[in-house]
Amino acid sequence: MKKISLLIALSLLLTNCKTSEKKEVTTGLIAQKAMVVSARVEASKIGSDILQKGGNAYDAMAATQLALAVVYPVAGNIGGGGFMVYRSNDGKTGALDFREKAPLTASRDMYLDEEGNVIPNKSSFGVHSVGVPGTIAGIFEVYNKFGSLPFKDLIQPSIDMARNGFRVTKKQANALNKTRKRFEKANNYKILFDREWTEGDLLQQKELAQTLERIRDNGQDGFYKGKTAQLFVDYVNELGGIISLEDLVKYKAIWRKPIEFTYKDHKIISMTLPASGGICLAQILKSIEPYDLSEIEHNSTKYVQLLTEAERRSYADRTNFLGDIDFVNVPIDSLTSTNYIKQRMSTFSWDKATPSSEVSHGKVLGYESDETTHYSIVDQFGNAVSVTTTLNTGYGSKVLVKGAGFFLNNEMDDFSAKPGVPNVYGLLGSEANAIAPEKRMLSSMTPTIVEYNGKLKMVIGTPGGSTIITSVLQNILNVVDYNMGMQESVNQPRFHHQWLPDIIRMEPNGFDKKTKTKLDSLGYQIYEKNSLIIGKVDAILILPNGTLEGGADKRGDDTAVGF
Ligand code: DON
């Protein structure tokens, strides 16, 4: 009892203090040499074990990605796609795009009815929402370029975990149980996941183990050709979908030049199109850079205002200009130039909110949970990889390939099905992100690496749909401007604005009432109800003494493992 009242008194004291004084200083896992931070302890451990065996960060990327496909089926995947940004120990940087793409027979209006209206859920649920997966091509692209251990060693732990099973966590059981009805609706047979789950249940995936064995034995062809491909296409056909064997054979991951820019003497390396993350991050950070944040309290009214106005302008540009650069011309240099940003921010006033334009935006935001996944890796040689990967929403399309045991993504919803009609994240799009055969849908994923004084400083990323960009942003500011440690930064409450809908999403109970009342009086609309979690940031900070601090997001089951 005494303890409880002490705790209450302490928390009252803390809430009454200024934000800068109430910072809860929590330190994440500290490792001397190497670390993996991911959505599940099993995956982080498999990645870290590979490093301990002498593998590098790229080997660990393959191992961690495959492990997540087994232990974190909600977002970890082989039936989805993603992006990787890397910085090798000699300072070289690069980026890999293994984003899904539209099938060969996809067409611009494929989600519209005869009257030209969007058919509800067609782009986001079931077999019609599936894009051609890129994950396995991505893994092999990375492995063939940089891998050092035998591939078998990287995949075997995941095969064993799929066959022998792992224990379901409480959060996982809840997520699975919540999705049961949709599993039933999306499939024409009773899938393995379609039952009632309880924390601690053993989840074994024999068919997935067999698929992984085919990949172990035949490499990339074990997925895009042969039995796996046939099972995939047969089931898609059975359900009336359009992905063909030719689509699978033709898929290629693409090396791209990352977006690189400086923010207050830090070099930021982030993902380029078809991920919008790097461009938007550059725009927002450059909009903020002229302001002296040491004068602005963290998460105060002014802080929320400044970030919101920068975000609003950037997301408006995202809507209009951004799409797959292999299909549309995007003026990346102009959009991120100092002059352009200065001009965009010239209408910003501390006295009142700039209202977003009146474009109609239909329904508000997505009701799906936060289900992409990010992992950060630093190896004992100094290489770093930052990978965000997804099926799009939780369990993707909910279609589980019969006989092959893996979920297919619902990434087609990231295209703009029709201008002015929002996707599940409330994001709008334009011509630049219209559907075309083999085009990649625009993403918000923002795997990022930060360098300072020529040295690696931070590896960071998160899931969260449209909120990915602003979560990465806030964590960069936490560390660079507010001197927080990695775990402390990850723990901070977050907020988000994306131009339309014209609201600030805030994690509930994270911001004090005074701040919210003041924001309201300045014309900002705050929305907490549907914002229980904004992102799950998994990051690594290199401390001044060279050790690594993990930031594993407690909003999920995320865990850092290292040595
Ligand atoms: O690529 C994108 O931006 C989305 N498909 C990411 C989805 C995501 O983060 C899921 N979490 N809400």
Side-chain angles (χ1 to χ4, degrees):
M1 196 60 200
K2 228 181 176 177
K3 234 186 188 167
I4 294 175
S5 40
L6 198 73
L7 271 178
I8 295 172
L10 194 69
S11 59
L12 278 177
L13 192 76
L14 286 175
T15 29
N16 285 328
C17 288
K18 279 190 167 169
T19 326
S20 54
E21 289 157 8
K22 83 172 180 200
K23 273 186 214 159
E24 180 198 333
V25 181
T26 329
T27 308
L29 177 76
I30 303 284
Q32 301 304 312
K33 292 186 183 160
M35 185 179 282
V36 179
V37 191
S38 83
R40 285 287 297 243
V41 64
E42 296 87 342
S44 298
K45 180 152 186 342
I46 284 174
S48 176
D49 286 351
I50 289 296
L51 297 177
Q52 207 141 24
K53 278 189 192 150
N56 60 27
Y58 309 100
D59 293 317
M61 177 271 178
T64 308
Q65 175 76 39
L66 291 161
L68 286 166
V70 175
V71 74
Y72 196 59
V74 70
N77 67 83
I78 58 173
F83 299 97
M84 177 182 99
V85 168
Y86 71 88
R87 180 186 183 278
S88 51
N89 53 7
D90 57 5
K92 286 207 181 89
T93 58
L96 183 68
D97 159 5
F98 53 99
R99 179 68 159 170
E100 299 91 330
K101 60 182 198 175
L104 286 157
T105 54
S107 58
R108 186 195 166 85
D109 295 337
M110 61 191 278
Y111 298 114
L112 306 186
D113 64 18
E114 281 113 53
E115 269 117 61
N117 298 316
V118 172
I119 303 165
N121 302 325
K122 192 171 179 190
S123 66
S124 62
F125 176 76
V127 76
H128 300 291
S129 64
V130 183
V132 183
T135 295
I136 292 298
I139 288 176
F140 280 98
E141 210 47 59
V142 173
Y143 178 73
N144 292 336
K145 189 166 166 132
F146 295 118
S148 68
L149 297 183
F151 188 76
K152 179 180 170 301
D153 294 2
L154 311 181
I155 197 170
Q156 196 59 43
S158 297
I159 296 173
D160 296 342
M161 182 163 57
R163 181 157 284 122
N164 301 331
F166 65 89
R167 297 284 163 191
V168 166
T169 68
K170 189 169 176 195
K171 289 192 173 102
Q172 199 161 31
N174 289 342
L176 283 165
N177 293 340
K178 251 183 23 204
T179 320
R180 269 192 85 174
K181 279 214 174 77
R182 281 176 289 164
F183 289 150
E184 273 167 35
K185 210 169 151 198
N187 293 282
N188 65 8
Y189 71 112
K190 189 170 169 68
I191 71 166
L192 168 75
F193 296 90
D194 179 9
R195 47 159 270 204
E196 211 49 32
W197 293 91
T198 313
E199 179 182 6
D201 283 352
L202 188 70
L203 172 51
Q204 292 172 301
Q205 301 168 81
K206 291 209 179 64
E207 291 178 344
L208 179 59
Q210 287 161 2
T211 298
L212 294 175
E213 279 165 347
R214 288 191 289 275
I215 295 167
R216 178 194 63 195
D217 300 338
N218 304 299
Q220 190 164 328
D221 289 352
F223 183 85
Y224 291 98
K225 292 180 182 167
K227 183 164 178 189
T228 312
Q230 198 61 56
L231 287 167
F232 182 141
V233 171
D234 285 350
Y235 190 47
V236 163
N237 281 340
E238 255 179 57
L239 296 176
I242 59 170
I243 295 181
S244 64
L245 286 172
E246 194 188 355
D247 276 313
L248 295 180
V249 169
K250 280 191 84 178
Y251 186 88
K252 281 204 166 42
I254 302 173
W255 292 101
R256 300 200 186 268
K257 196 168 137 344
I259 299 283
E260 301 195 347
F261 60 98
T262 55
Y263 171 74
K264 294 187 179 165
D265 298 331
H266 289 70
K267 182 171 160 192
I268 316 281
I269 305 139
S270 191
M271 195 61 214
T272 190
L273 294 168
S276 60
I279 294 170
C280 293
L281 192 62
Q283 286 193 316
I284 301 170
L285 280 171
K286 279 169 179 277
S287 303
I288 294 169
E289 197 171 28
Y291 295 86
D292 182 1
L293 291 191
S294 70
E295 302 276 302
I296 300 178
E297 220 174 85
H298 185 253
N299 277 357
S300 63
T301 304
K302 281 196 143 186
Y303 185 79
V304 176
Q305 258 188 293
L306 178 60
L307 268 64
T308 295
E309 295 301 342
E311 289 166 5
R312 184 200 305 284
R313 288 158 175 79
S314 176
Y315 276 81
D317 280 351
R318 182 192 190 280
T319 306
N320 285 302
F321 296 109
L322 305 192
D324 183 352
I325 21 172
D326 293 342
F327 283 72
V328 286
N329 261 329
V330 179
I332 300 181
D333 291 344
S334 314
L335 287 171
T336 52
S337 77
T338 312
N339 275 344
Y340 175 78
I341 304 271
K342 204 166 147 199
Q343 177 234 320
R344 291 286 280 165
M345 283 300 277
S346 63
T347 49
F348 164 53
S349 153
W350 292 112
D351 301 332
K352 90 186 209 349
T354 316
S356 294
S357 75
E358 302 293 321
V359 179
S360 109
H361 53 79
K363 66 176 184 219
V364 173
L365 302 172
Y367 297 96
E368 300 266 4
S369 57
D370 245 5
E371 298 309 354
T372 289
T373 192
H374 176 86
Y375 49 96
S376 294
I377 304 177
V378 173
D379 70 17
Q380 63 278 28
F381 312 112
N383 304 300
V385 304
S386 183
V387 184
T388 315
T389 175
T390 192
L391 290 165
N392 194 16
T393 60
Y395 312 99
S397 62
K398 320 313 185 243
V399 173
L400 189 82
V401 177
K402 206 189 272 178
F406 61 93
F407 281 112
L408 296 177
N409 66 83
N410 59 340
E411 218 73 61
M412 289 297 284
D413 188 63
D414 276 347
F415 277 118
S416 171
K418 184 183 175 181
V421 179
N423 73 357
V424 294
Y425 305 107
L427 289 169
L428 301 169
S430 63
E431 189 54 40
N433 191 30
I435 305 170
E438 297 202 85
K439 188 174 172 184
R440 282 143 140 102
M441 51 299 273
L442 185 61
S443 171
S444 300
M445 288 189 262
T446 315
T448 298
I449 292 177
V450 179
E451 190 180 301
Y452 182 62
N453 272 342
K455 287 197 185 130
L456 179 67
K457 173 158 176 163
M458 182 165 47
V459 186
I460 185 165
T462 181
S466 56
T467 70
I468 291 175
I469 301 164
T470 55
S471 296
V472 170
L473 165 82
Q474 288 169 83
N475 279 277
I476 292 176
L477 297 175
N478 290 347
V479 170
V480 171
D481 289 284
Y482 293 93
N483 257 324
M484 292 185 202
M486 200 68 260
Q487 189 63 51
E488 183 190 5
S489 167
V490 168
N491 290 355
Q492 299 304 309
R494 296 193 274 262
F495 64 94
H496 169 79
H497 192 287
Q498 60 180 46
W499 180 50
L500 289 174
D502 192 354
I503 53 171
I504 302 177
R505 284 178 67 180
M506 278 184 170
E507 288 183 313
N509 310 319
F511 295 80
D512 65 46
K513 211 168 166 221
K514 246 173 55 198
T515 304
K516 290 186 278 189
T517 312
K518 178 78 184 150
L519 283 167
D520 181 65
S521 74
L522 291 165
Y524 293 95
Q525 199 188 328
I526 290 167
Y527 190 80
E528 287 177 312
K529 216 174 52 207
N530 220 13
S531 313
L532 295 181
I533 286 181
I534 298 186
K536 286 180 204 144
V537 176
D538 283 343
I540 301 173
L541 180 65
I542 290 77
L543 302 175
N545 67 2
T547 57
L548 313 175
E549 186 198 349
D553 209 320
K554 298 300 169 235
R555 293 162 177 88
D557 293 319
D558 306 43
T559 311
V561 177
F563 56 90

